[in-house]
Amino acid sequence: MRNVTLRIYDTATRQLRDFEPVREGHASIYLCGATVQSIPHIGHVRSGVAFDILRNWLTAKGLDVAFVRNVTDIDDKILTKAAENGRPWWEWAATHERAFAWAYDQLGVTPPSIEPRATGHVPQMIEYMQRIIDNGHGYAAEGNVYASPATIEDYGHLSGQKLDEMDQGESAGKGKRDPRDFTMWKAAKPGEPAWDTPWGRGRPGWHIECSAMATTYLGSEFDIHCGGLDLQFPHHENEAAQAHAAGDGFARYWMHNGWVTMSGEKMSKSLGNVLSIPNVLKLVRPVELRYYLGSAHYRSMLEYSESALAEAAAGYKRIEKFVLRAAQLAASAAGSETAVGESLVAANGLPEEVHPLAAALPIGEVPQAFADKLDDDLAVPQSLAIIHDVVREGNKALDKAESGDAAAREVVLRIGAEVRAMAAILGVDPLSANWIEGSLASLGGSDAAMGALDVLVKAELDRRAEARAEKNWAVADEVRDRLKAAGIEVTDTADGAKWSLTD
C-alpha cells in the first residue's frame, strides 16, 4: 500500500490532525464496546462498523493494528434489568454479550485483538485508583472511591464542559466532598455483586473500567480512542481525567461516531424506536445492512427509514452484480486454459479455502482517488461515489468483453480487481469469505452467476474424470468431497457426472 497521509478529526482539539502513531508501523485503538443490558439494535453496532473501516484502512496502509473493544458486564442497568426479569446478573450479561457477538459477526465486523470484560479487570482498577489517590486527585469515603475533577488541570478539554456548569448525572454519593466529583468505585449494597478492595467491598464505576483496560492492553499512551458521540461526556471525559490523574498520557486522538436517528431523535430504548438486528435482517441481507450503516460519514447522524435501507441495498447489489460478472469473465478465460479450483488458488498464492471465483479475480490496488477520500477523515460517502463511478465504467467494458473484445476484457479484470480492493476496505467485498455464499445465493438464478459456477464446477469434474480414468481414486474422492463441502452435489450418470446445488 502506498504511503499516504491519514487525517483524523480529533474531538479533543476539534480539528483535523495528521495521524502519527505512538510507534512507527503500529496503530493502537480502543473502542468502547457494549454495555450488555439488552439485545443490540442498529444504533449500537454502528460504531463497530465505522471503526472496522478505520481498522481495515490502517491495515491496508501497512500498519500492525492492535484493536481493543471492551465489554461492560457490570453496571446499574444490567443489575436492574436482570432483577426485573428474575435472572442472575451474570447470566443476563452473558446472554446479551453473546447477542452482541452474533450481531458483529453477522455484519462481518472483524473480531478485536482482545475483548476484555470489566469484571475480569478489578485488580487493574484497584491499582489505577490507588495511583489517582496517591497523586492527590481522588479519595475514599464510606467504601466509595471518588475522583476530583477540580484538581485535574485539563478537565473538560474533551467535551468543553465547564466545571461550574457541569452535572455528572450521578446521585449524591455517601462521603462525596464536591457534587462535581464522580464515582470510580461503588460501595457494596445488599444483594449486589461485590469485590474486595483496600477501601471495602464494592463494584466498579463505569469510567474506571475503561481507563484501566485501555492502558492494560495498549500502554500508558496509545493512538486512538473511539466511541459513540453520546459517550463524550461524562464517560470519555472522565476516562481521560482518570488517566491524566494517574500520570498516563492516554489517547492521542479521539474519534466519535454519530447516532442512528429516527425522526431526528437518537435511537434508544426509552423512545421505543429500537430496531433489533434480527428484525432488520428480515428486510435486507447482512452485507446490505453493513453497507447501509457504513455508507454515511461516521461523524454524521444516520436517519433511519426503510426506504433509505432499501436504497442502500440496491446500491450494494450494483457493486455485487458487476463483481460477479467480472469474476465469471475471469473464470471463463482461466477455464479454457487450466483447471479452475486448485490451480487458480495456487497460482495466486492464496490459501485453499479461498473460493475459486475469488481466486479468479484477485483483489487489486485501490485507486489513488479512493485512497485520498479515505485519508480525509474516512470520507466514506465520497469513497462510495468513486466505487460506483468505477463500476459504471466496468459495466460498459463488460458488454464489449462478453462479445469477445480482448482489450475490453483486460479493462474489466483491472476494474474488477480495483472494485474488490475498495469494497474490501469498507468490509463489503462480494467475493470475500464473509459474503460470497450470500452473493451466489442472491444471484444464483442469474445467467451470470450460474454461468460462472458452471465453468468452475465443470473444470473440477473434468479433473475428477481424469483421475478416475487413471484409477487415482484419492484425487477423485478429494474433488468430490471439496465440491460437497461447497454445497455442490455430484451425481454419476450414464452421460457423465452431473452437478446440482444442495438445499
Side-chain angles (χ1 to χ4, degrees):
M1 182 68 192
R2 58 184 66 83
N3 184 20
V4 287
T5 301
L6 170 63
R7 289 173 63 77
I8 292 172
Y9 183 84
D10 175 29
T11 308
T13 60
R14 293 157 185 77
Q15 63 182 6
L16 284 170
R17 295 175 55 205
D18 291 340
F19 176 63
E20 297 177 358
V22 174
R23 293 173 55 205
E24 185 176 355
H26 297 262
S28 45
I29 302 173
Y30 185 87
L31 171 61
C32 273
T35 298
V36 287
Q37 58 170 309
S38 59
I39 61 172
H41 58 63
I42 60 175
H44 288 135
V45 297
R46 186 186 178 192
S47 65
V49 171
F51 298 118
D52 195 38
I53 294 172
L54 169 66
R55 180 184 188 175
N56 290 344
W57 187 229
L58 290 171
T59 300
K61 291 163 78 67
L63 297 178
D64 179 21
V65 180
F67 193 98
V68 179
R69 184 183 69 215
N70 78 296
V71 174
T72 296
D73 60 342
I74 184 70
D75 175 86
D76 290 344
K77 294 177 180 178
I78 293 172
L79 297 178
T80 299
K81 289 183 181 297
E84 288 173 351
N85 288 273
R87 309 306 304 166
W89 69 270
W90 49 265
E91 181 198 48
W92 189 262
T95 298
H96 293 98
E97 182 180 343
R98 288 192 296 272
F100 270 88
W102 177 86
Y104 287 130
D105 186 60
Q106 286 293 299
L107 298 186
V109 175
T110 309
S113 306
I114 191 167
E115 194 165 22
R117 297 182 183 94
T119 54
H121 294 78
V122 170
Q124 290 87 346
M125 297 180 210
I126 293 171
E127 186 271 339
Y128 218 78
M129 288 185 287
Q130 188 63 62
R131 287 165 56 193
I132 293 169
I133 292 171
D134 291 344
N135 289 340
H137 300 299
Y139 58 95
E142 299 187 42
N144 299 296
V145 183
Y146 300 105
S148 306
T151 71
I152 302 169
E153 185 176 350
D154 64 350
Y155 191 87
H157 79 287
L158 180 62
S159 63
Q161 292 279 334
K162 291 182 171 54
L163 271 172
D164 293 338
E165 300 173 0
M166 75 177 193
D167 180 358
Q168 292 286 356
E170 296 182 359
S171 58
K174 291 184 178 180
K176 186 182 285 192
R177 298 173 184 171
D178 185 322
R180 299 171 299 184
D181 296 347
F182 62 87
T183 307
M184 295 189 290
W185 188 262
K186 299 184 177 186
K189 294 180 181 178
E192 289 190 351
W195 289 260
D196 290 322
T197 77
W199 314 286
R201 287 177 60 76
R203 60 183 174 87
W206 184 23
H207 316 303
I208 193 64
E209 63 177 80
C210 285
S211 299
M213 286 189 285
T215 53
T216 293
Y217 295 101
L218 299 178
S220 62
E221 184 179 27
F222 57 93
D223 294 318
I224 304 171
H225 194 308
C226 305
L229 183 62
D230 53 323
L231 300 180
Q232 187 176 347
F233 183 86
H235 186 47
H236 289 167
E237 187 72 68
N238 290 346
E239 277 187 59
Q242 290 167 154
H244 296 169
D248 290 339
F250 211 54
R252 281 193 173 189
Y253 304 83
W254 290 84
M255 298 177 71
H256 290 92
N257 64 276
W259 303 328
V260 176
T261 59
M262 293 182 68
S263 302
E265 295 186 87
K266 177 178 178 287
M267 186 173 293
S268 67
K269 198 78 171 178
S270 61
L271 291 177
N273 55 12
V274 175
L275 286 171
S276 71
I277 304 300
N279 283 342
V280 179
L281 292 182
K282 294 176 183 177
L283 303 175
V284 293
R285 292 179 291 158
V287 65
E288 293 165 352
L289 177 55
R290 177 180 174 122
Y291 180 96
Y292 168 69
L293 291 174
S295 61
H297 192 277
Y298 76 92
R299 287 195 286 121
S300 68
M301 300 299 173
L302 179 60
E303 176 71 8
Y304 175 81
S305 69
E306 285 194 15
S307 61
L309 182 64
E311 184 178 345
Y316 172 75
K317 287 173 183 173
R318 287 192 290 272
I319 297 172
E320 180 182 53
K321 183 176 181 180
F322 166 73
V323 169
L324 286 175
R325 288 181 66 193
Q328 176 203 12
L329 187 71
S332 298
S336 65
E337 301 167 2
T338 184
V340 186
E342 277 187 355
S343 56
L344 276 174
V345 171
N348 289 299
L350 299 170
E352 290 184 2
E353 60 268 21
V354 171
H355 193 283
L357 260 185
L361 186 69
I363 291 177
E365 290 288 327
V366 301
Q368 185 62 52
F370 178 88
D372 290 343
K373 295 302 181 185
L374 279 192
D375 274 338
D376 183 17
D377 194 35
L378 300 181
V380 171
Q382 292 83 353
S383 302
L384 278 173
I386 290 170
I387 294 179
H388 284 287
D389 286 344
V390 172
V391 165
R392 279 190 287 271
E393 180 185 351
N395 280 327
K396 292 177 183 177
L398 257 173
D399 294 336
K400 298 178 181 178
E402 289 172 343
S403 298
D405 187 322
R409 186 186 68 189
E410 293 305 311
V411 171
V412 170
L413 299 187
R414 173 183 60 79
I415 290 177
E418 289 180 352
V419 171
R420 282 202 66 193
M422 293 186 285
I425 300 298
L426 304 184
V428 292
D429 170 22
L431 298 184
S432 70
N434 283 332
W435 311 125
I436 190 164
E437 286 189 17
S439 295
L440 292 175
S442 173
L443 301 178
S446 71
D447 292 338
M450 292 305 291
L453 190 59
D454 188 55
V455 169
L456 299 173
V457 175
K458 283 183 177 178
E460 287 292 90
L461 293 179
D462 287 343
R463 180 168 176 264
R464 178 172 176 266
E466 292 174 7
R468 286 163 64 90
E470 297 170 358
K471 300 188 184 304
N472 190 341
W473 308 117
V475 171
D477 289 343
E478 177 190 343
V479 171
R480 182 169 186 153
D481 290 344
R482 183 164 54 250
L483 290 173
K484 183 178 180 180
I488 296 166
E489 183 175 355
V490 177
T491 304
D492 293 309
T493 72
D495 296 325
K498 305 295 183 183
W499 68 272
S500 61
L501 293 173
T502 57
D503 293 335

